[in-house]
Amino acid sequence: MSQAMDFDSLRRAMADNYDEPEGPARNARAEQLLVAAEKLNIPLAVIEALGHQLKVYNYSSEKDKMFVPFARLLRMWDERPEDFDEYETHSLHWVFKWMSAGMLGQPHIPLAAMEKWLAEMEHRYRLAGHSERAVRSAEFSVAAHIGDLARAERAYTAWLAADRDTMADCRACELHDQGWWQARTGEDERALELWAPVLEGEYVCAHEPHAVLASSLLSLLRLGRLDEARAHHLRGIRLVRGMESMRGSYADHVEFCALTGNEARGLELLAERPQYFTDSGEPRSKLDFLAVVTLLMDRLVTLGFGEQTVPGPAGREWTARELSAHAREEALALAARFDARNGTPYVGERTRERMDRAPLVDRLPLGVRTVRPAPRPAPVSAVTTADPDLPALLAEARRLSEALHPDAVEAWAAVARAAEGHELGPRDRAELVDHEAIARGPEGAEVFERAAGLYAAAGDPGEALAARTRAAFVRALTGDADRALEEITGLRAEALALFDESGTGVRQTASVLVGHARVLMHRLEEDESSTGTAEEAVRELLAFAEPHTAEVRLASRAAEARAMLAELTGRAGDAEAAAELLARAAEEYVAAGLPWFAVEHEARLSRLARQLGDTESAERAARAALEHGQGQLEPFGQAQLHLGLAEVLGASGRFAEAAEHALQAAHWADEAGEGPALGAWARHQLGGLLLRQGRFAEAAEVLESALPDLTAETHGDGALVQTQWWLGDCHTELGEHRAAAERWLQAAEIARHWPEQRDHAMLAHLAAEALGHAELPAEADRAYARAAELWRGLGNTHGLVRALRARAWLAARERADLDAARELMAQAAQVCASGSPEDHEARVRLAGELGHTHRQFGELIARSAGEDADEEARRAAFEEALGHTTEAVAVFAALGPDALDARTGAELAAGRLAADLRRPDAAAAHARAVLSAYEGPEAADGDAETARARRAEAERLLEFLEAQRER
């Protein structure tokens, strides 16, 4: 540290340090600055450095260090109050409240000392003429902490009744604490009402809405307001993640994960903050943290993951079971210290209550990238003794089979378990083996053949042929297509012959015909030339089954044939006819009481309707698919359907509902083990939909979680660019300009390889703007230069002009290089003037850019004449600026009513410059031109609010000029 640091340098250094992230490094710097202050031999410098040190300790994990600088400050005040200026006097009294809260969090400080401190605080506030509001608030905190609820209620009432003055906590912090008390007493609705102004941004501070978002989670869960709880978690965790002093709020987010089936995300949060296990500067927040760690670990143990490795205190590996025991022991020991200090069992009771909370939601999907540990399945014990329910199980399995219900396979599996060790008749055994083959999927061909033999032995040749047909179809699906076709052709002939001889029924024959059609349809994937043969088989099936659709199985065959015809029609290029056939097939399934079979076709219909631009039909079909698949679909199917509906709704602008379905899609994709593929795409879509609703923090959290899984190979590099682009938008809206620039530059690096370079140029331009906002002028200038060259190569005059103007401003502001700024503005004007697009609208837009360039040129020159410039230099700058501004007025005037507001803005700028040049008549003429412009018929083309503001400014300018004349 420089020995020559003066008071001003010290103040700048303290301001810079306060802007650094919370933590030991910032605290250490504050300690160094106090040493530097002591060397200045200026009491106020030491007072300010002590105040700075106290602030950074308070907002860190080293809160226990606050008491030493405060004691020194208080002693200095008592000895020489005249050394304190007005601000430091206020600050000293302000931090009395921090001492009160700090004492609460330190169990080694006796309760008597805290009560004495409250009395001291009350005395000093009274002497200083302050309201008792802050004192009663501090008393409330003490009483609530030790469990003296009656006293807490009295202090709470007195706190609210006292006048708010300059010593009262900020409105946001007060509302947080008031809402916390209401939630503590079971009044969750009232708590949320109190928190609403903070949540809505009406009242904010350095740590709000951070703490309110965290505190609201439990109330929202208890009230069943799950969507809000999810949103508050996603918003809130971003705010507290980088703030070391907010361990208590961070613990609330971990608790939320444990109570909503998001144990995996809870583990991720623990891994992000390993120091929270051991930071000892504030025992009370450590107690909160250890309590929810215990809760989370106990959840994992309950789910069967007690031996899973989990994040824990550094120095060793931890299993969930081990960490649960460790955290519980430490938490209860800490609670016991507080209770010993307080003389009540209250803290220990509250800690046990928190550690033992039961989940409030089985699973609340968050949309972020976490995979829930699946509970270990309980072993299924086979029935090996006589089962009196075997006949009932057989009857139920047959009933479900007749209804073509999806549960039939499991019902037959139950029969198989119950039948072990029992002799079954040939027919029963045939059906059992047939359904075993269905359950085996691609490995079922040989089992189907065994079932065929059993059917034949039971005297049912038709069902034997049907079982062999199913075996042939499995072979077709598993790569033995030639054999399958040969077999199925012979089976079809046998079945039709047997049917003609009345040797089998319609149902069995239709089963063979549908297998024949399926094999031929499958062959189309390899051999398009067989389309005609496939269509003949499909139409044969339809003609055979359609007269018998009163029976469920035959209705199913007819509907399936209709769906096959839809596929053939679509292959032939008639999408509209294909859509009609798919819709009819789905309707037939539903009418037959088989809605689960309609799902696949409704999903296809939705996609086809979107291709045809029929969003209404696409939405209707997607909703029907979700409804009909309820309870039957596998997770992957659920994910696909929800994602399809999200895309339909998003395309029609219904972003909120679309986001709900994208959220469900991400959830089901994770459940299906498809998080890195389909899940990442769903999160990508969800993030974009949240962004469109202005939910920027939530969108950023979701998009950041999607990014690690998005790959060019799986999702396309367009998805990577779009995700980074959206993240840049989110960061910008959240005021995180440097992060926005990084996102846009990463996206630009991908886009620079694309044949079309417009996205590359736009991303470079956006990154330049963000770098400027992040106060990185050199980097911003390089990015603008890159964007300008890209816009030039694309022939995009507007982009080029705006990049040149931005570089001019950077040159003037950051490098004080007025010559370079003039040259860049002149280039921008030249680009506008030299352009001559054929399209009238394009010419108007280009002229508008020229007007704005002249206007900015004038403003830049005028600002270059700083207050320290001499009169001659200022006059020369204003003359030059007025010339450009007058040119802007002329350009905008030529554009007519469409440029009304732009013209009046330039007129007022010219009027102010003329007034500065002591040309009252010219200045008044510009002001009157503004008033006149908004009185004529063209005034209707301007913005009403802008018109009012411009009129008011013009009138003020005229009043100023009149006053000048009178003087």
Side-chain angles (χ1 to χ4, degrees):
M1 184 183 297
S2 171
Q3 298 297 316
M5 179 178 282
D6 58 19
F7 198 178
D8 287 340
S9 299
L10 176 70
R11 283 173 163 165
R12 285 194 298 272
M14 289 190 294
D16 290 343
N17 189 48
Y18 194 69
D19 288 337
E20 292 297 312
E22 297 176 351
R26 187 171 74 158
N27 295 353
R29 176 64 172 156
E31 292 161 6
Q32 293 172 354
L33 292 172
L34 176 59
V35 173
E38 289 168 335
K39 293 176 180 178
L40 293 177
N41 199 28
I42 302 172
L44 184 59
V46 175
I47 290 167
E48 290 187 11
L50 284 167
H52 172 66
Q53 190 180 82
L54 205 158
K55 285 179 185 177
V56 299
Y57 285 156
N58 184 57
Y59 295 119
S60 78
S61 63
E62 297 179 309
K63 288 181 185 287
D64 54 335
K65 292 184 176 181
M66 287 193 304
F67 304 104
V68 171
F70 180 75
R72 185 175 173 187
L73 275 171
L74 195 59
R75 185 172 64 253
M76 293 176 73
W77 168 263
D78 288 338
E79 293 172 355
R80 291 181 55 86
E82 65 271 19
D83 289 340
F84 288 70
D85 62 14
E86 183 179 356
Y87 177 81
E88 292 304 328
T89 300
H90 177 274
S91 295
L92 175 68
H93 286 81
W94 180 268
V95 297
F96 268 81
K97 300 177 298 181
W98 292 0
M99 295 304 106
S100 175
M103 289 178 180
L104 277 180
Q106 305 293 332
H108 68 278
I109 297 179
L111 185 62
M114 292 164 55
E115 295 288 2
K116 181 181 178 181
W117 178 254
L118 276 176
E120 176 78 5
M121 179 180 174
E122 184 171 8
H123 172 68
R124 288 183 180 261
Y125 272 38
R126 188 179 299 115
L127 286 178
H130 296 307
S131 162
E132 68 170 359
R133 188 177 182 95
V135 178
R136 298 285 76 83
S137 172
E139 181 189 4
F140 160 78
S141 297
V142 171
H145 170 69
I146 67 176
D148 187 345
L149 303 187
R151 182 187 179 191
E153 190 61 49
R154 290 194 302 272
Y156 180 87
T157 302
W159 166 24
L160 269 61
D163 292 335
R164 275 187 58 80
D165 66 352
T166 56
M167 280 300 112
D169 278 341
C170 81
R171 196 76 181 101
C173 289
E174 280 204 330
L175 288 172
H176 171 255
D177 292 344
Q178 290 164 19
W180 173 86
W181 178 242
Q182 296 298 326
R184 169 67 190 90
T185 57
E187 298 294 332
D188 289 319
E189 291 280 10
R190 178 60 182 147
L192 289 164
E193 289 174 9
L194 286 165
W195 288 329
V198 182
L199 295 169
E200 293 164 6
E202 183 179 349
Y203 301 115
V204 297
C205 69
H207 281 199
E208 294 295 356
H210 316 42
V212 163
L213 285 164
S215 295
S216 70
L217 294 170
L218 189 58
S219 291
L220 289 167
L221 290 175
R222 287 194 295 234
L223 292 170
R225 291 161 62 171
L226 304 184
D227 290 343
E228 292 172 77
R230 176 194 303 112
H232 286 200
H233 170 64
L234 294 177
R235 280 178 62 196
I237 196 62
R238 290 186 67 78
L239 293 174
V240 302
R241 183 177 273 131
M243 302 188 75
E244 184 189 67
S245 64
M246 300 201 73
R247 176 163 56 182
S249 293
Y250 200 88
D252 290 339
H253 286 279
V254 176
E255 177 183 49
F256 166 82
C257 294
L259 298 178
T260 58
N262 287 286
E263 297 84 7
R265 178 157 174 88
L267 293 177
E268 289 178 3
L269 296 185
L270 296 186
E272 288 179 16
R273 277 290 182 181
Q275 67 272 33
Y276 277 170
F277 286 99
T278 52
D279 283 346
S280 58
E282 191 194 20
R284 186 160 65 159
S285 71
K286 184 177 183 181
L287 172 58
D288 290 335
F289 184 73
L290 290 171
V292 300
V293 169
T294 305
L295 172 67
L296 178 61
M297 294 306 114
D298 284 353
R299 284 294 304 142
L300 289 171
V301 172
T302 300
L303 290 170
F305 289 90
E307 307 314 310
Q308 178 173 320
T309 301
V310 295
R316 55 162 287 187
E317 283 195 353
W318 296 88
T319 66
R321 194 182 310 279
E322 290 167 341
L323 184 56
S324 171
H326 169 81
R328 181 176 290 274
E329 181 181 356
E330 283 220 343
L332 292 176
L334 258 179
R337 290 177 59 201
F338 278 107
D339 285 343
R341 185 271 302 273
N342 299 339
T344 70
Y346 187 70
V347 173
E349 291 169 354
R350 297 281 292 156
T351 299
R352 289 183 178 86
E353 176 189 326
R354 190 171 198 182
M355 290 191 296
D356 296 337
R357 276 182 182 144
L360 296 172
V361 184
D362 177 56
R363 178 84 193 277
L364 177 61
L366 302 179
V368 291
R369 178 179 175 259
T370 50
V371 180
R372 183 188 194 185
R376 295 176 181 173
V380 177
S381 57
V383 179
T384 56
T385 59
D387 191 335
D389 292 328
L390 181 55
L393 290 173
L394 265 170
E396 177 63 8
R398 285 188 173 124
R399 185 188 69 79
L400 292 172
S401 294
E402 285 298 310
L404 297 177
H405 198 279
D407 291 343
V409 173
E410 178 52 39
W412 281 103
V415 171
R417 291 192 293 272
E420 286 187 17
H422 292 269
E423 286 293 329
L424 293 176
R427 177 71 190 197
D428 294 343
R429 181 61 63 185
E431 290 182 74
L432 197 58
V433 173
D434 201 0
H435 285 88
E436 179 190 344
I438 293 171
R440 291 200 181 189
E443 300 173 356
E446 299 306 319
V447 184
F448 276 127
E449 294 286 3
R450 186 151 52 88
L454 290 167
Y455 279 125
D460 193 339
E463 280 298 346
L465 290 172
R468 290 174 60 197
T469 299
R470 290 189 277 277
F473 184 52
V474 170
R475 292 190 183 99
L477 294 177
T478 53
D480 200 350
D482 291 339
R483 177 184 172 186
L485 180 58
E486 181 181 348
E487 288 179 349
I488 203 72
T489 302
L491 290 168
R492 168 189 169 275
E494 285 186 56
L496 288 174
L498 191 61
F499 178 73
D500 288 342
E501 298 167 0
S502 301
T504 191
V506 174
R507 178 193 294 188
Q508 293 83 358
T509 308
S511 293
V512 175
L513 293 179
V514 77
H516 181 232
R518 286 172 180 171
V519 170
L520 288 167
M521 289 294 294
H522 180 71
R523 277 182 63 84
L524 292 180
E525 302 299 325
E526 301 174 0
D527 183 8
E528 284 283 348
S529 66
S530 60
T531 299
T533 307
E535 183 173 353
E536 287 177 12
V538 171
R539 291 196 180 279
E540 179 183 45
L541 169 63
L542 183 59
F544 187 86
E546 204 162 25
H548 308 284
T549 52
E551 184 184 341
V552 170
R553 282 181 178 268
L554 278 300
S556 170
R557 302 308 187 200
E560 184 174 355
R562 197 93 57 195
M564 290 178 182
L565 282 178
E567 182 178 344
L568 290 167
T569 305
R571 285 174 175 269
D574 192 344
E576 291 185 2
E580 291 176 7
L581 285 164
L582 278 173
R584 187 171 173 189
E587 290 167 3
E588 289 174 356
Y589 276 125
V590 174
L594 305 169
W596 45 85
F597 286 147
V599 173
E600 177 188 348
H601 309 303
E602 287 162 338
R604 287 172 55 200
L605 176 59
S606 181
R607 293 192 294 270
L608 192 53
R610 283 185 65 194
Q611 293 170 16
L612 293 169
D614 185 355
T615 54
E616 186 177 336
S617 294
E619 179 185 344
R620 186 167 55 248
R623 290 189 188 281
L626 274 173
E627 177 189 348
H628 295 147
Q630 192 69 33
Q632 303 298 334
L633 281 172
E634 294 294 323
F636 185 72
Q638 286 274 18
Q640 288 182 310
L641 289 178
H642 278 291
L643 188 56
L645 184 52
E647 291 171 349
V648 171
L649 293 167
S652 61
R654 284 173 286 174
F655 303 129
E657 189 179 1
E660 293 174 12
H661 287 284
L663 174 70
Q664 290 297 324
H667 161 68
W668 287 111
D670 288 344
E671 293 290 310
E674 291 289 334
L678 186 62
W681 181 252
R683 277 183 269 280
H684 162 82
Q685 296 285 1
L686 174 59
L689 291 163
L690 291 169
L691 172 63
R692 289 179 177 91
Q693 296 174 70
R695 297 161 65 177
F696 304 113
E698 297 167 67
E701 194 74 7
V702 170
L703 290 168
E704 285 170 353
S705 76
L707 204 53
D709 288 328
L710 289 170
T711 65
E713 295 76 17
T714 302
H715 306 95
D717 55 9
L720 292 171
V721 168
Q722 184 64 79
T723 301
Q724 296 279 27
W725 197 321
W726 282 336
L727 273 168
D729 292 340
C730 292
H731 288 306
T732 296
E733 294 292 342
L734 295 170
E736 301 162 358
H737 299 294
R738 186 166 192 158
E742 290 172 358
R743 296 296 185 186
W744 283 328
L745 288 171
Q746 288 166 4
E749 183 60 24
I750 300 171
R752 76 185 182 91
H753 301 290
W754 293 355
E756 167 54 52
Q757 287 289 285
R758 187 182 184 284
D759 284 342
H760 183 196
M762 180 62 76
L763 287 162
H765 200 119
L766 287 169
E769 290 179 356
L771 289 165
H773 288 303
E775 299 182 0
L776 297 168
E779 293 86 345
D781 184 64
R782 286 195 294 272
Y784 274 125
R786 177 184 179 187
E789 288 308 307
L790 290 165
W791 290 129
R792 195 188 306 275
L794 288 165
N796 188 315
T797 304
H798 304 283
L800 173 58
V801 167
R802 291 173 187 185
L804 289 169
R805 290 198 305 242
R807 292 192 69 203
W809 280 107
L810 284 170
R813 288 173 182 165
E814 305 299 336
R815 302 202 305 271
D817 190 344
L818 191 56
D819 289 339
R822 276 197 181 93
E823 174 60 28
L824 288 161
M825 278 292 186
Q827 284 182 38
Q830 177 60 32
V831 169
C832 293
S834 61
S836 56
E838 296 179 2
D839 178 70
H840 171 71
E841 186 176 338
R843 285 199 300 276
V844 169
R845 283 187 63 214
L846 191 57
E849 289 288 5
L850 179 60
H852 289 297
T853 300
H854 281 302
R855 167 74 192 278
Q856 290 190 36
F857 205 161
E859 186 179 352
L860 183 148
I861 297 300
R863 289 190 185 184
S864 70
E867 293 182 1
D868 56 345
D870 59 40
E871 181 63 26
E872 183 178 349
R874 285 171 62 83
R875 187 170 187 83
F878 287 170
E879 286 281 8
E880 183 181 354
L882 181 58
H884 289 296
T885 308
T886 304
E887 187 66 31
V889 171
V891 171
F892 290 135
L895 293 175
D898 289 342
L900 173 64
D901 293 337
R903 174 165 70 87
T904 56
E907 291 271 19
L908 285 168
R912 289 190 294 269
L913 286 166
D916 288 336
L917 288 165
R918 298 183 179 83
R919 297 174 187 166
D921 292 342
H926 284 296
R928 292 192 187 97
V930 172
L931 294 174
S932 175
Y934 287 115
E935 290 169 357
E938 66 179 17
D941 295 307
D943 177 73
E945 186 175 341
T946 301
R948 283 193 296 273
R950 295 281 162 77
R951 285 196 198 97
E953 191 173 350
E955 288 167 354
R956 284 196 299 271
L957 179 55
L958 288 171
E959 290 169 3
F960 169 77
L961 293 169
E962 185 62 29
Q964 289 290 94
R965 286 193 180 95
E966 290 175 359
R967 284 202 293 269

